[in-house]
């Protein structure tokens, strides 16, 4: 049973553990692999950000954030980012968080959701977002330096939340 | 004669004046029109940001920033933003800053430049960036709420800096 809920300060250790593992791998996010705990948590818990965790049998299995992608005349488009514990992948936790996130974004009144930086080689993420209704609306040529594959393309993905 | 140089603390008043006029118009940037001076200058002079001004006969006629668009495996792609004093438009100041910025980005070792949020109705900007070698690599449907035209598309523009 997966319980997705707003994160609290008591989740900070678990979130940092996931965050660190994900960015240290260096194959999915545009963050410094050596980013400090302090910086990472400041980013994940930024004042304008909704932060969630996915809990499974008392353990944090994933976390996501939801925020406006731009301010002012761009603030009706949301942005989100997701991280799943490496050992817990392939169990639908990313999908459950994605669906939860779309619901939260609608509840908060956002008209759309945009992912700015989906690495094209991250096939499971690209597939999942397409299944959840996102389209690739942009391709950034060679915008990601993959640890094994060198410079690879990055997708901008977008989904309307209105009918 | 236009002199483009790194900004100093003494340029803060002039930069805020431009910034405020540009965002209050609400037709080109994804910032809150009521953003405070403090927030605006913190953004424009962020620690990871190179900040420049274009000076014409002792007056600041424009300003731009240059920074990495992502960190870590995405840090080879730069990002920039430009503002010209409304009264000084149509005199080539944007173009001069754009050319200067491309040179600075190359000098700093960036491999490409990306604009994340070029409002499609900002025809002079879109035309200028195309003339300077940028291509529209993405279209964000309705991602900007224009004060007169309602929801309009936004372009992601990209230009390589390598041969």
């Amino acid at each position: 049973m997966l319980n997705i809920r707003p994160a609290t300060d008591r989740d900070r250790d678990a979130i940092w553990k996931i965050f660190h593992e994900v960015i240290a791998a260096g194959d999915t996010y545009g963050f410094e692999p050596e980013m400090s705990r302090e910086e990472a948590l400041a980013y994940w818990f930024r004042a304008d950000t909704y932060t969630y965790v996915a809990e499974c049998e008392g353990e944090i299995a994933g976390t996501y954030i939801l925020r406006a992608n731009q301010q002012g005349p761009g603030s009706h488009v949301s942005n989100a980012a997701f991280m799943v514990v490496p050992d817990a992948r392939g169990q639908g936790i990313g999908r459950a968080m994605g669906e939860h996130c779309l619901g939260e974004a609608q509840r908060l009144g956002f008209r759309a959701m945009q992912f700015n930086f989906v690495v094209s080689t991250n096939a499971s993420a690209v597939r999942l977002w397409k299944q959840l209704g996102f389209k690739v609306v942009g391709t950034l040529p060679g915008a990601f330096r993959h640890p094994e594959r060198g410079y690879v393309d990055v997708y901008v993905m977008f989904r309307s939340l209105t009918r």
Side-chain angles (χ1 to χ4, degrees), chain A:
Chain A
M1 277 296 297
L2 201 66
N3 176 35
I4 301 176
R5 58 164 175 81
T8 72
D9 276 351
R10 283 191 287 183
D11 300 313
R12 292 170 77 90
D13 286 346
I15 290 173
W16 163 241
K17 191 160 182 287
I18 301 174
F19 194 103
H20 181 65
E21 280 191 284
V22 168
I23 66 168
D27 57 352
T28 53
Y29 272 92
F31 294 126
E32 291 294 345
E34 313 81 22
M35 196 172 177
S36 71
R37 175 189 160 111
E38 196 170 30
E39 281 177 293
L41 292 176
Y43 178 86
W44 212 249
F45 282 92
R46 215 169 67 184
D48 66 349
T49 297
Y50 299 87
T51 310
Y52 302 84
V53 290
E55 204 170 22
C56 187
E57 296 173 6
E59 299 280 316
I60 303 300
T63 179
Y64 82 86
I65 56 172
L66 171 63
R67 52 174 62 145
N69 198 41
Q70 301 282 337
Q71 302 301 315
S75 63
H76 56 291
V77 178
S78 61
N79 171 245
F82 300 80
M83 293 185 174
V84 175
V85 170
D87 285 349
R89 289 187 189 150
Q91 299 173 29
I93 294 165
R95 174 184 301 266
M97 290 198 297
E99 288 170 350
H100 187 271
C101 180
L102 288 166
E104 287 292 278
Q106 265 171 323
R107 189 180 65 79
L108 293 164
F110 288 111
R111 294 176 58 91
M113 188 174 292
Q114 181 179 331
F115 300 145
N116 301 310
F117 206 75
V118 182
V119 178
S120 61
T121 50
N122 189 356
S124 58
V126 173
R127 189 172 54 239
L128 173 58
W129 304 137
K130 285 183 177 171
Q131 286 171 353
L132 293 185
F134 287 82
K135 289 210 170 80
V136 171
V137 296
T139 300
L140 313 172
F144 191 83
R145 197 174 54 252
H146 191 280
E148 285 111 39
R149 307 198 200 184
Y151 293 106
V152 298
D153 293 350
V154 174
Y155 298 140
V156 179
M157 301 188 78
F158 198 95
R159 183 198 196 278
S160 173
L161 298 174
T162 62
R163 276 123 230 281

